[in-house]
Amino acid sequence: MPYAPELKSVVARYAKSLAVPNGLQQLHVRKKHRPEAKHMALGPAIVLTSVSAFEGFLEEFIAVVGAKRGLSFAQIAKLANTNSPSLRDFEKNLVSQLGNWSPNTWRSQFALTVFSPPQLGQSNWWAEVDISWEQALDQADGWLQVRHSLAHGLTRGYLSEHWPTPMRQGLHASSVLRPQKDNKYSLTLHGAITCARIFRHSSEALVTQTAIALGEKPPSWRAVPAFPLAGAEQE
């Protein structure tokens, strides 16, 4: 049976990889007026690095859970061989390995506070809203579309742009972006923070339930950057 590292070791590496997007968001000059272009580029950089960190974490965590279940190296390699995995894929993979969560009430109790983009023609104020687990899954799908457009040079991620259709079935990138005139959308620091929060905090929820299902103590997430909403000035 493959050696199974501790769950906390995987979380520790996730914290290390999130240090990059966490440092990027701290570099942003948070003024109420429009920031310079060099600062606006931090938003897409945060999305790219935070989603990349999530994907690396997902692959390793799935492999560790497989090892704890006594799977062979070949089975673990097959499970960990993912292509643009989503938060939804993460949950499905864990459920397929561990069975349905018990107790199953955690999904209905899950709530995460994120920024909600202002609607066109309304106040520029970014409201703080609580989203459910299903909403987190949906928004994570939208952010994967954003990451795809950025990574493949389809958009730059700052100012107002037209965003392409999804690379596969799912929500359009525009579903998580700020609407602008002429069917354009923009990605700002607020959106980038929301993206990082969704993947980071949803992962914590899944790890906690995995540990419980395995009969282990859930690892601490205190050292993992949390991307707080406080401090992000309104643009």
Side-chain angles (χ1 to χ4, degrees), residues 25-44:
Q25 61 99 15
Q26 292 177 2
L27 288 174
H28 195 283
V29 180
R30 298 177 177 188
K31 302 293 184 181
K32 292 185 178 180
H33 57 76
R34 177 176 290 182
E36 298 178 31
K38 64 180 180 180
H39 293 136
M40 290 192 294
L42 290 171

Side-chain angles (χ1 to χ4, degrees), residues 47-102:
V47 171
L48 286 168
T49 52
S50 62
V51 175
S52 176
F54 164 75
E55 290 182 345
F57 163 74
L58 181 156
E59 292 173 359
E60 183 175 8
F61 191 78
I62 290 296
V64 168
V65 173
K68 286 181 175 292
R69 287 194 55 237
L71 302 184
S72 67
F73 285 116
Q75 290 173 309
I76 291 172
K78 184 177 180 179
L79 283 172
N81 183 21
T82 56
N83 181 26
S84 297
S86 67
L87 182 63
R88 201 181 305 272
D89 294 331
F90 192 12
E91 180 183 21
K92 287 180 180 179
N93 195 307
L94 289 173
V95 170
S96 68
Q97 289 197 59
L98 300 170
N100 214 356
W101 307 108
S102 180

Side-chain angles (χ1 to χ4, degrees), residues 204-224:
E204 180 179 3
L206 287 175
V207 169
T208 297
Q209 297 307 314
T210 298
I212 294 173
L214 291 170
E216 299 184 11
K217 180 181 178 182
S220 171
W221 282 68
R222 292 182 61 184
V224 184

Side-chain angles (χ1 to χ4, degrees), residues 14-189:
Y14 189 30
K16 188 175 182 179
S17 63
L18 283 179
V20 173
N22 184 52
L24 288 172
Q25 61 99 15
Q26 292 177 2
L27 288 174
H28 195 283
V29 180
R30 298 177 177 188
K31 302 293 184 181
K32 292 185 178 180
H33 57 76
R34 177 176 290 182
E36 298 178 31
K38 64 180 180 180
H39 293 136
M40 290 192 294
L42 290 171
I46 292 168
V47 171
L48 286 168
T49 52
S50 62
V51 175
S52 176
F54 164 75
E55 290 182 345
F57 163 74
L58 181 156
E59 292 173 359
E60 183 175 8
F61 191 78
I62 290 296
V64 168
V65 173
K68 286 181 175 292
R69 287 194 55 237
L71 302 184
S72 67
F73 285 116
Q75 290 173 309
I76 291 172
K78 184 177 180 179
L79 283 172
N81 183 21
T82 56
N83 181 26
S84 297
S86 67
L87 182 63
R88 201 181 305 272
D89 294 331
F90 192 12
E91 180 183 21
K92 287 180 180 179
N93 195 307
L94 289 173
V95 170
S96 68
Q97 289 197 59
L98 300 170
N100 214 356
W101 307 108
S102 180
N104 197 33
T105 57
W106 72 270
R107 291 185 183 90
S108 62
Q109 296 173 348
F110 178 90
L112 177 65
T113 305
V114 298
F115 285 120
S116 178
Q119 296 304 301
L120 189 62
Q122 298 181 2
S123 168
N124 290 331
W125 190 263
W126 286 72
E128 295 182 11
V129 298
D130 289 337
I131 59 173
S132 66
W133 180 251
E134 286 302 320
Q135 289 172 317
L137 294 178
D138 288 341
Q139 290 199 27
D141 287 345
W143 284 112
L144 285 182
Q145 302 298 335
V146 172
R147 192 288 304 268
H148 177 78
S149 294
L150 295 172
H152 290 273
L154 303 177
T155 54
R156 292 172 298 177
Y158 51 88
L159 300 180
S160 299
E161 298 175 282
H162 292 291
W163 291 75
T165 54
M167 59 181 175
R168 59 184 182 184
Q169 286 187 338
L171 293 181
H172 196 285
S174 61
S175 65
V176 293
L177 300 173
R178 179 178 181 177
Q180 304 287 358
K181 295 180 180 179
D182 302 321
N183 293 319
K184 295 181 179 181
Y185 293 83
S186 62
L187 165 61
T188 69
L189 177 66

